[in-house]
């Protein structure tokens, strides 16, 4: 029997590649973080994002970004740095409305 | 000759420096005590990069870092400044060669910065007398993950490499990470960006570790279970690598509290 833990989601990771790349850069590029704070729209201008990804980032639509294939370990950096107006509390509320990719159950409704 | 596994929560170093951090400081210190008593020359650190060192442009399922040094943390670890950590590059190269000869094919990495998954365990376990390290990355983040039995076998290959390295070195193996932890996914706790969706699985893992049932643990580590246990629950695989390398050692310390997604464990000869 093949033993490969976890639901593979390579198609999603590829679909959201540029969003994932942007989130990955945040830890390595303090200047990018500064520019995203000063003027998010302008800071994203050079990134080859789809119009939809750009809109979802600028409106902080975390659940939709996750649904499109952003990796949660990367996406959560938006909240850690409070980018696009998303606080940790906002992030928590929004991601909890998303269904888990790969079909595993989401958070119990404890709030 | 000694082995250990601990969590690598980025908030713990700063917490440990505050008065209310006595508890967390002592939990790590109990593990460090077992490692120190074995007087290691090198720490071999099994870790799951959190998509910091590596990215999707070239994602390794396994990697051995054989540079002269690494820098880290490259992500945010409050209270821990970025520094250079020496790597035992010759041992690392030998472990890489041994893995390839034994039909594992890790990526060879000669230039790297590492994240909290390496830096936090070292902050607590390698503070008194900083030892060179050998970081071995086991993918715990991007499915499909390496198979759990394969990770045990990887550890056995690493142990073989340690045994056949000249000069003979005292090498302790360390793993870090959680068994149930959701970071950034839909199963986070309300008001937080993390959660512990399957504390019962963490309890089960610790029970297997208590009784040395490593093969049973690997057999129970299914894709569905890891997916339910959280977005970084694959960190268990780096523990399985450590366990494979530590085969034959005796449990010296096990600290688990019900409801937590992680544990503090150490083994000695």
């Amino acid at each position: 029997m093949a033993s490969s833990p976890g639901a593979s989601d390579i198609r999603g990771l590829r679909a959201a590649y540029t969003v994932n790349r942007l989130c990955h850069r945040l830890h390595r590029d303090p200047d990018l973080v500064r520019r995203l704070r000063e003027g998010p729209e302008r800071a994203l201008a050079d990134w080859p994002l789809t119009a939809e990804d750009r809109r979802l980032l600028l409106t902080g639509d975390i659940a939709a970004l996750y649904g499109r294939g952003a990796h949660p370990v990367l996406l959560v950096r938006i909240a850690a740095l409070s980018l696009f107006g998303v606080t940790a509390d906002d992030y928590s509320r929004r991601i909890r409305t998303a269904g888990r990719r790969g079909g595993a159950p989401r958070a119990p409704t404890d709030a | 000759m000694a082995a250990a596994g601990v969590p690598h929560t980025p908030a713990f170093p700063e917490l440990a420096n505050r008065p209310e951090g006595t508890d967390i400081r002592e939990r790590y210190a109990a593990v460090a005590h077992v490692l120190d008593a074995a007087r290691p020359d090198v720490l071999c650190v099994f870790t799951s990069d959190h998509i910091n060192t590596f990215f999707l442009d070239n994602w390794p399922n396994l990697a051995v870092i054989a540079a002269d040094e690494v820098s880290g943390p490259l992500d945010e670890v409050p209270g821990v400044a970025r520094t250079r950590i020496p790597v035992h590059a010759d041992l690392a190269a030998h472990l890489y060669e041994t893995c390839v000869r034994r039909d594992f094919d890790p990526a060879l990495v000669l230039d790297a910065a590492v994240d909290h998954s390496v830096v936090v365990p070292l902050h607590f376990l390698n503070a008194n007398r900083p030892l060179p390290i050998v970081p071995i990355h086991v993918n715990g983040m991007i499915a499909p993950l390496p198979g759990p039995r394969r990770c045990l076998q990887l550890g056995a290959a690493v142990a073989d490499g340690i045994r056949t390295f000249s000069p003979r070195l005292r090498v302790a193996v360390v793993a870090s990470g959680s068994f149930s932890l959701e970071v950034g996914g839909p199963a986070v706790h309300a008001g937080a960006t993390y959660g512990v969706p399957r504390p019962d699985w963490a309890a089960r893992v610790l029970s297997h570790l208590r009784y040395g049932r490593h093969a049973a643990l690997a057999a129970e580590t299914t894709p569905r279970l890891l997916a339910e246990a959280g977005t970084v629950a694959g960190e268990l695989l780096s523990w399985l690598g450590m366990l494979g390398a530590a085969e034959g050692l005796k449990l010296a310390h096990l600290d688990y509290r019900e409801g937590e997604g992680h544990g503090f464990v150490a083994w000695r000869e």
Side-chain angles (χ1 to χ4, degrees):
Chain A
M1 169 189 128
S3 56
S4 50
S8 175
D9 188 30
I10 294 165
R11 186 179 297 181
L13 294 172
R14 187 171 61 228
Y17 187 84
T18 308
V19 172
N20 284 319
R21 172 55 100 183
L22 178 79
C23 292
H24 178 254
R25 284 299 300 167
L26 298 174
H27 281 156
R28 290 175 175 262
D29 191 346
D31 188 55
L32 172 64
V33 173
R34 181 184 58 75
R35 285 185 288 117
L36 283 168
R37 287 197 172 125
E38 286 172 4
E41 210 154 341
R42 198 183 159 91
L44 290 184
D46 294 341
W47 284 78
L49 294 154
T50 64
E52 179 67 354
D53 285 339
R54 197 176 302 274
R55 185 183 70 76
L56 295 174
L57 282 167
L58 290 170
T59 56
D61 194 336
I62 296 300
L65 288 164
Y66 173 81
R68 283 168 76 81
H71 193 292
V73 168
L74 294 167
L75 190 61
V76 74
R77 295 171 195 177
I78 287 174
L81 295 162
S82 297
L83 298 175
F84 309 113
V86 179
T87 65
D89 202 48
D90 296 329
Y91 186 98
S92 186
R93 216 165 350 93
R94 293 173 195 175
I95 196 69
R96 282 165 55 87
T97 66
R100 185 190 284 288
R101 298 199 307 263
R106 63 183 176 190
T109 48
D110 58 353
Chain B
M1 31 92 60
V6 290
H8 54 229
T9 311
F12 283 167
E14 190 177 68
L15 172 63
N17 280 333
R18 298 205 297 264
E20 66 270 32
T22 307
D23 178 57
I24 196 72
R25 201 163 59 239
E26 288 175 352
R27 296 181 82 180
Y28 277 103
V31 173
H33 180 72
V34 176
L35 287 185
D36 290 346
R39 293 176 292 102
D41 303 311
V42 180
L43 297 183
C44 180
V45 183
F46 286 87
T47 180
S48 291
D49 172 52
H50 288 49
I51 325 180
N52 281 307
T53 301
F54 308 112
F55 183 63
L56 300 163
D57 55 346
N58 194 344
W59 180 257
N61 232 13
L62 302 171
V64 177
I65 298 180
D68 288 319
E69 61 180 21
V70 291
S71 66
L74 67 78
D75 55 343
E76 190 67 22
V77 180
V80 178
R82 189 158 171 171
T83 185
R84 293 177 183 285
I85 306 162
V87 172
H88 199 302
D90 289 340
L91 175 62
H94 179 72
L95 296 185
Y96 171 78
E97 290 161 357
T98 309
C99 285
V100 173
R101 270 201 301 273
R102 301 224 352 192
D103 294 335
F104 288 90
D105 298 294
L108 173 64
V109 182
L110 296 183
D111 180 16
V114 295
D115 68 10
H116 68 276
S117 68
V118 174
V119 170
V120 171
L122 294 179
H123 174 80
F124 289 106
L125 304 180
N126 196 24
N128 298 336
R129 179 169 68 95
L131 302 170
I133 64 169
V134 176
I136 298 179
H137 157 80
V138 179
N139 170 23
M141 303 283 143
I142 294 178
L145 309 177
R149 284 184 300 269
R150 187 95 176 119
C151 291
L152 282 175
Q153 292 159 3
L154 169 73
V158 167
D160 183 36
I162 291 170
R163 269 192 304 270
T164 54
F165 184 72
S166 176
R168 200 59 198 260
L169 292 173
R170 298 178 65 78
V171 181
V173 283
V174 174
S176 75
S178 293
F179 311 126
S180 177
L181 183 62
E182 177 91 349
V183 175
V188 298
H189 294 318
T193 56
Y194 68 93
V196 181
R198 289 291 304 266
D200 60 318
W201 168 241
R204 178 107 184 130
V205 172
L206 268 299
S207 169
H208 281 320
L209 295 180
R210 183 181 297 280
Y211 298 108
R213 299 186 301 237
H214 304 161
L217 172 59
E220 286 178 26
T221 303
T222 62
R224 184 173 172 81
L225 229 161
L226 286 187
E228 288 181 2
T231 53
V232 300
E235 290 170 351
L236 170 61
L237 297 169
S238 64
W239 283 65
L240 287 167
M242 174 271 292
L243 291 169
E247 202 57 53
L249 298 183
K250 296 188 189 76
L251 185 71
H253 174 80
L254 189 146
D255 165 10
Y256 166 68
R257 295 178 189 168
E258 198 178 330
E260 291 184 336
H262 54 244
F264 299 75
V265 193
W267 293 261
R268 66 175 163 229
E269 279 175 323

